[in-house]
Amino acid sequence: MLRARLKTCAAVLAAAIILTACATEVKVAPAAVLDISGKPCGEQIDLMSAKPLAPKKAQKWVDVFEPVGAETACARIDDLLVNYAVFELPPNGSNHVITVGGLKQERRTLAPRVFLLDFQGQVLRSFEDKHYKNIGSSFAVQFRPSEGDRYLLVQTDPSRVGQVADAFEQKVVTGSGYASTPTGGASYTTTSGVERSMSRTFSHEGIISIRVQALSGKIGAPAG
Amino acid sequence: MLRLTVASAAALSLAACVTPYAPIPYDRASAGIQTIVVVEDSLPADAGTQKLATNGQNMASAMAASAGLAGVLVGAIAAGVDANIEAGQRTRIQAALATQGFDGEAIFDAALESALAANGYELGKVTVERKNYHEPLELEVRNDLQPGSAILDVAGAGYGYQLVGGNTQWRPFVTVGVRLSDPADPSKIHLDNRVVYNPVATPDVIVNLPPDPQYAFTKIEDIEADPAKAKEGLEKALVETANAVADLLN
């Protein structure tokens, strides 16, 4: 009997230890990737890999988050290796606003370099450094495509990779609670402020963030 | 943690239902604009305050939830007390800035005009009566401006010092809306955007500027004790915001 109880206690203890181990597991935010020299890359951008930005269901706006990592596409451009992703713009481009860049993660931001290409992949438009700004939670550019623009190419910028952007941030954090009352209870919301210094390094890997908005009608529709 | 996640998920689903603000980015190459005519009266005369996540707000929410109508009344009183406290704090900050001869609008206008001129624009000014600073002006057709002109309306929704609750400090903030339109056809918008210095949230398509961390004050008394630093912090916020507005036109 005693042995059985000890076995049960040991099992419970082991389960508790495992649970504690799971509960205290700390996820480390991914660090910036500064060097992709060992990665096998093509010699040119593969337009066949372009992903459509227009959603299947007609809608006014859409967010696209595209991870860029060790397994995603890269190319050797002007003798420099860059990671990239290419997207197919919706038709009637000038009726849209596109905000595209590298999403700010905990420790890194994908270093974006944005191009607009025609149907053959020729560069029609690029953006100078001064056009890249802190927009929303990304380091991004914002533009309206022209009618000849067919593809959106986002590649990493080797000249920016490794640079560190320090920023102080104030945020409001929202939580909720539940108060018991004689008639049952009700939930309530509380908010609290936090402030912190952030330091993010521009990286070859990270997340491309894209917001596509139609100025009138739905995405893909002509200007109303 | 679960509650926070649920709250965040609820907030996200709610946000997903709302059509977000859509900016209109400027394309200088195709706009053909050489002269920027700036609307005078871009910012309110006095600096303001912004308090978020205060104890009063939280008390109001909790009281309303826990005790029905009585809670709503007690919560409203808590929020009211909070608002009165903030009004007093705002007056004290304005008084501290006044000792330094602070003029927020003059600082912003000078920085904006300087940056626009540096970007190669000819400048003009126009006076239009403004009912509030939270939305762009409804402009009337003007045919008296030379071709290649556009009217720049900067509406300063707020500037001053903000406190976001918890263990945070008073820090400068500035929020402006920006619209550039065709004088002959004001419905033709060349640019529409917003710039926020020290945002507490970062809406997805709005330009935001991080604050300079050295300008921080734990209490109103600290602002009163060093009004020159308080002025310097807010001046820097206004100049950086004006430069960011000019950058949108570059």
Side-chain angles (χ1 to χ4, degrees):
Chain A
M1 181 64 104
L2 180 62
R3 185 173 289 176
R5 278 187 182 172
L6 280 173
K7 271 186 178 177
T8 307
C9 283
V12 168
L13 192 61
I17 289 168
I18 290 166
L19 274 175
T20 308
C22 291
T24 54
E25 183 186 350
V26 177
K27 284 188 178 175
V28 179
V33 173
L34 309 182
D35 181 13
I36 56 171
S37 56
K39 193 173 178 181
C41 298
E43 291 299 315
Q44 56 188 10
I45 302 296
D46 176 17
L47 291 181
M48 297 299 285
S49 67
K51 296 176 180 175
L53 285 178
K56 287 179 182 167
K57 182 184 168 190
Q59 56 195 74
K60 180 90 178 151
W61 61 282
V62 67
D63 282 328
V64 174
F65 296 99
E66 182 74 16
V68 173
E71 305 301 321
T72 59
C74 64
R76 183 178 297 277
I77 307 289
D78 296 332
D79 215 28
L80 292 170
L81 292 180
V82 298
N83 283 328
Y84 75 89
V86 61
F87 306 89
E88 191 177 344
L89 292 164
N92 301 299
S94 60
N95 185 39
H96 302 80
V97 174
I98 294 183
T99 305
V100 54
L103 185 71
K104 293 179 188 174
Q105 296 177 270
E106 193 70 14
R107 298 166 63 195
R108 69 183 186 183
T109 303
L110 181 127
R113 203 164 172 209
V114 176
F115 299 90
L116 292 167
L117 315 178
D118 68 8
F119 72 99
Q120 290 179 311
Q122 297 299 309
V123 175
L124 297 179
R125 191 170 164 192
S126 61
F127 299 87
E128 296 174 54
D129 282 353
K130 66 184 180 186
H131 292 122
Y132 290 83
K133 305 176 194 308
N134 292 310
I135 301 178
S137 300
S138 299
F139 184 70
V141 293
Q142 203 166 59
F143 61 92
R144 288 171 75 175
S146 302
E147 293 307 326
D149 298 331
R150 175 81 176 272
Y151 296 105
L152 169 67
L153 167 64
V154 184
Q155 65 183 50
T156 52
D157 181 354
S159 69
R160 202 183 289 277
V161 167
Q163 291 180 21
V164 178
D166 296 320
F168 192 84
E169 297 175 350
Q170 286 194 306
K171 301 282 176 205
V172 171
V173 179
T174 304
S176 63
Y178 189 83
S180 296
T181 69
T183 54
S187 60
Y188 61 91
T189 304
T190 58
T191 53
S192 179
V194 292
E195 55 184 30
R196 58 185 185 168
S197 286
M198 298 298 295
S199 187
R200 298 183 179 93
T201 304
F202 283 106
S203 167
H204 272 299
E205 294 184 4
I207 297 171
I208 297 170
S209 71
I210 307 173
R211 173 164 291 189
V212 183
Q213 293 174 280
L215 288 172
S216 65
K218 309 280 187 179
I219 291 173
Chain B
M1 177 58 87
L2 180 61
R3 284 175 178 169
L4 271 175
T5 308
V6 171
S8 305
L12 281 173
S13 353
L14 187 64
C17 298
V18 179
T19 299
Y21 163 73
I24 298 176
Y26 182 63
D27 182 359
R28 187 169 186 177
S30 63
I33 293 166
Q34 295 89 40
T35 304
I36 302 289
V37 181
V38 182
V39 175
E40 295 193 281
D41 189 15
S42 54
L43 299 183
D46 293 316
T49 50
Q50 186 164 281
K51 287 180 77 176
L52 303 151
T54 62
N55 289 335
Q57 287 164 1
N58 285 333
M59 238 170 98
S61 174
M63 285 291 186
S66 64
L69 182 61
V72 171
L73 293 174
V74 175
I77 291 167
V81 169
D82 221 40
N84 282 334
I85 292 170
E86 184 182 354
Q89 290 169 327
R90 187 182 308 129
T91 304
R92 290 170 67 183
I93 289 174
Q94 288 170 349
L97 292 170
T99 65
Q100 304 299 302
F102 179 81
D103 184 341
E105 189 180 11
I107 292 165
F108 182 86
D109 288 351
L112 178 61
E113 286 165 20
S114 170
L116 289 171
N119 287 349
Y121 286 110
E122 297 292 320
L123 298 179
K125 282 187 180 178
V126 63
T127 303
V128 183
E129 186 186 355
R130 186 186 295 283
K131 289 177 185 162
N132 69 66
Y133 294 94
H134 293 280
E135 51 196 323
L137 290 163
E138 288 183 19
L139 296 170
E140 293 180 357
V141 172
R142 295 187 62 134
N143 293 313
D144 56 331
L145 300 175
Q146 61 185 357
S149 299
I151 295 183
L152 178 63
D153 173 20
V154 180
Y159 69 99
Y161 274 86
Q162 73 181 16
L163 186 69
V164 297
N167 293 317
T168 65
Q169 295 183 285
W170 289 92
R171 297 179 187 276
F173 79 97
V174 183
T175 304
V176 299
V178 187
R179 178 172 283 186
L180 185 74
S181 52
D182 186 337
D185 177 8
S187 68
K188 186 177 175 185
I189 311 292
H190 297 292
L191 160 74
D192 194 284
N193 215 319
R194 298 169 188 169
V195 178
V196 184
Y197 180 96
N198 192 13
V200 290
T202 49
D204 296 317
V205 293
I206 292 174
V207 176
N208 58 78
L209 307 167
D212 184 334
Q214 69 170 305
Y215 298 105
F217 303 89
T218 305
K219 306 184 298 292
I220 298 295
E221 287 78 4
D222 298 334
I223 292 178
E224 292 173 322
D226 194 351
K229 183 180 174 186
K231 178 203 172 197
E232 194 177 287
L234 194 46
E235 183 168 345
K236 182 165 189 181
L238 288 163
V239 169
E240 285 193 21
T241 306
N243 289 339
V245 170
D247 280 349
L248 291 171
L249 290 152
N250 206 355

